[in-house]
Amino acid sequence: MPRPIYAEINTANIKSNFEIIRGVNSGQKMWSVVKANAYGHGISNIWRHLNSTDGFALLDLNEALLLRKEGWTGKILLLEGFFEHTDLEIIDEHQLTFAVHSDWQIDALRNYHFANKVDVYLKVNSGMNRLGFTPFEIGNVLNKLRRIPYINSVTLMSHFANADTREGVIEPMMTIDNLHTPENVEHCLANSAALLWHRDTHRNWVRPGIILYGASPSGNWADIADTGLKPVMSLKSKIIAIQHLKKGDAVGYGGNFRATNNQTIGVVACGYADGYFRTSREGTPVLVDGVRTGLVGRVSMDMLTVDLTSCPSACINSDVELWGEHLPVDVVANAAGTIGYELLTALAPRVTVRVI
């Protein structure tokens, strides 16, 4: 019998989330972001359930080629562009759209003879200070790109550092609106947070990422609880052992938890080698047979332990939800000192994935 831990991917929920997001924007075209193997959900598991999207956005050429191999013939955007001159051959063959954020990339484009016209996303550094050209450079760079005969269109793209706050896009949008560029240049600006909370950023293309998977861009589940978005991944396991502690008995490595009274503890087949964070604190919520309880003791490589006081009927093989449809990943992540993005993308390869 295989170890009783698995991630369940609910395709009905990702379809529903996609339609909700379609309803939030104002008719803009949509890149569905599937970077990091679809935020840990598996590109192969989800792309067909998003095939009414206008395009897929990702980072890795191998993931782009996977989409092509599996039958997606539509648009694919490489969010960080290309990393080597030799990547252009693959980009040309598979007709990929890509970001340009550095001078060396422009030089590479000038020196490569494309067989097909290509669409380019010009990255504007509007305050994030990661990738992109400064606002003062954009006009000149845009002119350079437009003089390259193989380039079909140039779209301005930027990314917001603080779109999950009320005032977070004001300065970046002022920067973008003050650019000296032709009026007919399309914009792709809105990430998940901006799409939900800053309608003025929507422009021509939007780029939903984490909200497709039913988690919050702010890291706070309450911020999206009334949107209808639903978690797509549920991490599930079983109780594999039960321990009856006496007052003073310790649990786990280091013995940092000790029972203050007689206490029943459940051992769950899940640990940090499965992607569950070792930093998760005592009390991090867990569902056992649908009843909310919490961690006790340290998370180890293959197991963790939970307090069964609130679920006295729990037994060997009782169902456990570590996060998912009934326990949002953002809630668990907060208790672990991280964000839902990190838990979802940290799912370990050894965890079986079931698509429903």
Side-chain angles (χ1 to χ4, degrees):
M1 175 181 176
R3 188 162 166 265
I5 180 172
Y6 62 96
E8 187 175 87
I9 305 299
N10 189 315
T11 58
N13 284 0
I14 201 161
K15 289 178 182 177
S16 172
N17 293 346
F18 181 86
E19 293 306 321
I20 288 170
I21 296 164
R22 275 284 198 210
V24 168
N25 69 34
S26 310
Q28 291 79 11
K29 291 169 283 189
M30 193 156 81
W31 293 108
S32 294
V33 181
V34 292
K35 64 179 181 177
N37 198 23
Y39 288 64
H41 294 66
I43 288 176
S44 295
N45 299 327
I46 63 93
W47 79 264
R48 290 179 179 84
H49 308 285
L50 297 172
N51 62 5
S52 59
T53 188
D54 298 290
F56 289 105
L58 41 72
L59 303 182
D60 194 311
L61 266 179
N62 287 330
E63 292 184 340
L65 295 181
L66 173 64
L67 277 172
R68 288 286 188 247
K69 181 179 179 181
E70 295 199 353
W72 174 251
T73 58
K75 292 179 178 293
I76 298 175
L77 170 62
L78 299 172
L79 290 165
E80 290 182 359
F82 55 95
F83 303 99
E84 299 284 346
H85 297 70
T86 52
D87 294 342
L88 292 174
E89 183 176 346
I90 299 171
I91 286 170
D92 190 15
E93 178 184 355
H94 295 279
Q95 295 184 267
L96 308 179
T97 302
F98 54 91
V100 171
H101 56 78
S102 299
D103 287 319
W104 76 264
Q105 292 175 317
I106 298 174
D107 292 337
L109 292 173
R110 284 172 171 156
N111 293 316
Y112 183 83
H113 296 284
F114 285 86
N116 304 287
K117 291 273 190 175
V118 291
D119 296 318
V120 169
Y121 271 48
L122 174 56
K123 192 68 177 282
V124 182
N125 179 4
S126 59
M128 175 79 85
N129 291 315
R130 295 192 311 188
L131 299 180
F133 295 94
T134 69
F136 305 103
E137 297 173 294
I138 288 298
N140 184 43
V141 173
L142 180 58
N143 288 333
K144 288 180 181 179
L145 290 171
R146 285 185 155 183
R147 287 196 293 267
I148 298 174
Y150 309 106
I151 292 179
N152 179 52
S153 69
V154 180
T155 299
L156 293 183
M157 177 172 66
S158 196
H159 194 59
F160 301 119
N162 298 298
D164 55 338
T165 66
R166 186 181 297 274
E167 310 296 328
V169 302
I170 293 177
E171 288 189 20
M173 287 303 293
M174 288 177 60
T175 296
I176 290 161
D177 288 337
N178 288 327
L179 292 173
H180 298 293
T181 56
E183 291 184 2
N184 64 344
V185 174
E186 290 196 343
H187 288 180
C188 177
L189 306 175
N191 55 7
S192 287
L195 201 158
L196 288 179
W197 300 313
H198 302 285
R199 186 170 290 274
D200 59 322
T201 67
H202 290 189
R203 302 295 167 91
N204 307 100
W205 286 83
V206 295
R207 304 189 307 272
I210 194 69
I211 55 177
L212 281 170
Y213 309 96
S216 174
S218 68
N220 184 356
W221 171 252
D223 290 340
I224 66 166
D226 62 351
T227 61
L229 296 169
K230 300 174 183 178
V232 175
M233 180 195 293
S234 296
L235 183 62
K236 298 184 176 183
S237 188
K238 298 279 189 181
I239 298 288
I240 59 171
I242 290 177
Q243 298 293 336
H244 300 284
L245 306 184
K246 302 185 296 295
K247 182 178 179 179
D249 284 349
V251 174
Y253 288 114
N256 60 318
F257 173 84
R258 291 184 179 273
T260 55
N261 294 290
N262 292 344
Q263 191 171 4
T264 303
I265 300 299
V267 182
V268 180
C270 178
Y272 59 77
D274 301 299
Y276 197 95
F277 275 31
R278 186 177 182 274
T279 54
S280 301
R281 296 184 289 270
E282 183 178 332
T284 295
V286 178
L287 296 183
V288 177
D289 286 339
V291 178
R292 184 163 171 161
T293 183
L295 290 183
V296 293
R298 287 182 184 167
V299 176
S300 56
M301 182 179 290
D302 309 303
M303 290 173 278
L304 55 81
T305 45
V306 297
D307 181 13
L308 295 182
T309 303
S310 60
C311 29
S313 62
C315 58
I316 304 296
N317 287 327
S318 281
D319 292 324
V320 176
E321 184 175 299
L322 286 312
W323 67 68
E325 196 152 3
H326 305 99
L327 181 61
V329 69
D330 299 304
V331 175
V332 179
N334 281 336
T338 184
I339 54 176
Y341 297 74
E342 193 169 11
L343 286 183
L344 293 173
T345 59
L347 185 72
R350 75 175 187 171
V351 176
T352 298
V353 176
R354 300 179 184 176
V355 181
I356 63 168

